Amino acid sequence: MAGTKKPKQLIGALECANLPELGIYNLTMRVDTGAATSSLHVDNIEEFKRDDERWIRFDIHPDIHDVAKTVRCEYKVLSQKKIKSSTATREKRYVIKTRLELGKRAWKIKLTLTDRSEMTYLMLLGRQAMTGKCIVDPGLEFCVSTAS
C-alpha cells in the first residue's frame, strides 16, 4: 500500500550493528536517547582536499576484540559540529553520513567521529539516528541482534 510506514523497530540499550561502508560488522553499540548525535571511535584523523571538497582520513577498529587491527578509511566531510561530551567538555567533531544496518533494516545516519577509547562501547547511537525508525526499551538488550 502506497504511503504505508513500516512499524518502528523495538531495540534495547545495547545492539549489534553493521556500518558496511566503513567495513565494520557486528559492532556492539550503546543506544542512548539522551544523546542527540551518534558517535564512533576513530583515531588519527587527518583532513585533506579532494576535488576542492573537504575529506578526512582516519583509522577505525573493525573488531573490538582485536584493537591492534585497524583499517584506514577516507570519507567526505558532511560538516563539523561543536558537541558537548558526556564529560561536559566541548569539542569540534567531523560529521560523516554512512549506512547503518540494524536487524533487518538499513538507513543512512550522521556520525560524529571522536576518541571514545575511554568509553566501554566504540559507538553510541543517538536519538537523531533513531527518530521515526526505532522504539527503545532500556530494560532490554540485543532485541534485533546478538552480541558478537
Side-chain angles (χ1 to χ4, degrees):
M1 198 154 71
T4 302
K5 284 186 177 181
K6 286 184 182 178
K8 293 178 184 173
Q9 180 169 249
L10 176 66
I11 62 174
L14 295 175
E15 293 291 346
C16 284
N18 299 329
L19 300 168
E21 295 169 348
L22 296 172
I24 300 176
Y25 298 90
N26 293 323
L27 177 67
T28 301
M29 64 182 179
R30 163 63 83 198
V31 175
D32 186 353
T33 60
T37 57
S38 300
S39 63
L40 178 68
H41 173 74
V42 300
D43 291 316
N44 306 316
I45 299 175
E46 298 173 27
E47 186 175 324
F48 66 98
K49 290 274 189 196
R50 178 178 288 163
D51 300 325
D52 287 328
E53 295 180 315
R54 290 172 69 203
W55 282 66
I56 49 175
R57 286 184 193 95
F58 52 90
D59 294 329
I60 58 173
H61 305 279
D63 182 355
I64 191 169
H65 303 295
D66 183 6
V67 291
K69 181 182 177 187
T70 59
V71 173
R72 190 81 169 148
C73 292
E74 292 185 353
Y75 234 86
K76 184 178 173 185
V77 174
L78 183 66
S79 63
Q80 268 190 297
K81 188 173 192 174
K82 281 190 179 173
I83 302 284
K84 186 170 84 173
S85 72
S86 59
T87 59
T89 58
R90 292 199 176 273
E91 67 174 315
K92 203 168 191 178
R93 294 186 191 170
Y94 289 100
V95 180
I96 63 170
K97 195 168 195 175
T98 194
R99 181 180 174 87
L100 172 78
E101 295 175 350
L102 180 59
K104 293 183 170 133
R105 298 195 185 168
W107 64 95
K108 291 277 192 170
I109 65 166
K110 291 179 182 176
L111 265 180
T112 65
L113 306 178
T114 189
D115 180 352
R116 289 185 54 82
S117 58
E118 298 300 315
M119 306 294 180
T120 306
Y121 300 98
L122 298 180
M123 182 174 165
L124 182 135
L125 187 69
R127 66 181 174 269
Q128 291 171 349
M130 296 181 273
T131 300
K133 308 254 191 274
C134 304
I135 296 173
V136 180
D137 183 335
L140 300 175
E141 294 180 350
F142 305 108
C143 295
V144 295
S145 59
T146 55
S148 51

